[in-house]
Every structure is written in C-alpha cells, then in structure tokens.
Amino acid sequence: MLDRAVAGLATVLTRYSITALRISLGLVFLGFGVLKFFPGMSPAAELAERTIGTLTFGLVGPTAALLLTAIMETVIGLTLVTGLFLRTGLVILAAALVGIMSPIVLFYGELFPAGGPTLTGQYVLKDIVLACAGAVIGAAALGARLRLPQE
C-alpha cells in the first residue's frame, strides 16, 4: 500500500510540479514588480535603483531604474503565471537575473559585513533560489521533461 501511495505521489509531482513552480515563481515576480510601481512600498526599491545606476555608470537615474525594474518584473510575472509568451518572459528573466544578482558583487561589503548577511543580504541571497527555479522552468520550456523510472 505504501508503494502505491509513493507511486501515486510521484505521478502527481511529475505531472504538476513544474507548472506549480512556474506559477508560484510568476506570482513572486508579479508581486515584487507591482510593489515597485508604488513609492515606498517595495523594500528593494533603493537597492534596485542603486544597482541599475551602478551597472549603467549613472546613465539611468533612480526613477527610471525603478520603473524599468517594475516593468520587467511585472512582465516576467505575467508570462510565468499565464504561460503566454513564456520563452520571451524567460529571456527577460535571464537578463533581469544579471541585475538581480549583481548586488552580491557590487555591494558585498554592505550586504555581508563581518558578522554575516544583513537583512538586505538575505533578501539578495534568496534570489539564488529564484534563479534556479527559472532554470528548471526554462529547461521545461525548451523541451526537458520529468519522467518516472518506468516511463
């Protein structure tokens, strides 16, 4: 009986886990993106502004940086949640991940002082999980499939 339960669970996970991952990652990006449209609502607004400012050598100002980030994250979220234009959303996600992960390099000393990561540092570190989830979703969008051993 336990073997049948495990086999049933494996079947359900194989069938639905990547879709669930895609939708949940989309909701995270959608939520983070929408917050950035409202001044003072996103705890990551200042970090996004500084990161894009640094990456563009000051060519993109704080307001434009935050708006660009909000639009990108919202579009990524919508493509992941709906599955429409998924490949386009994944390309935007890949580009966005450069900016999302950049604070680890650009502001390492601030994010990880001698005593360990700050709250902002922890916020950036969780993005590693988002990047890995995006990689799994990207692999599935390009044709990779989960299979049970007997398939």
Side-chain angles (χ1 to χ4, degrees), residues 8-135:
L9 178 60
T11 299
V12 169
L13 291 173
T14 300
R15 186 171 295 144
Y16 300 110
S17 63
I18 292 178
T19 300
L21 182 64
R22 175 179 56 79
I23 293 169
S24 62
L25 182 63
L27 291 172
V28 168
F29 269 94
L30 187 60
F32 286 167
V34 169
L35 280 179
K36 288 178 180 72
F37 285 112
F38 301 97
M41 292 298 295
S42 173
E46 188 268 334
L47 182 62
E49 292 168 352
R50 282 185 40 208
T51 300
I52 292 182
T54 302
L55 289 174
T56 63
F57 302 103
L59 294 174
V60 177
T63 302
L66 193 58
L67 181 60
L68 176 64
T69 303
I71 291 169
M72 286 178 64
E73 289 181 355
T74 300
V75 168
I76 292 164
L78 288 171
T79 63
L80 290 169
V81 168
T82 65
L84 300 172
F85 305 105
L86 184 58
R87 288 183 182 200
T88 301
L90 289 168
V91 169
I92 297 168
L93 173 59
L97 283 171
V98 171
I100 290 168
M101 300 305 290
S102 291
I104 293 174
V105 175
L106 297 174
F107 311 122
Y108 184 85
E110 292 174 43
L111 300 177
F112 304 98
T118 63
L119 189 57
T120 305
Q122 293 173 42
Y123 186 87
V124 173
L125 281 178
K126 66 102 175 83
D127 293 333
I128 295 169
V129 175
L130 301 183
C132 291

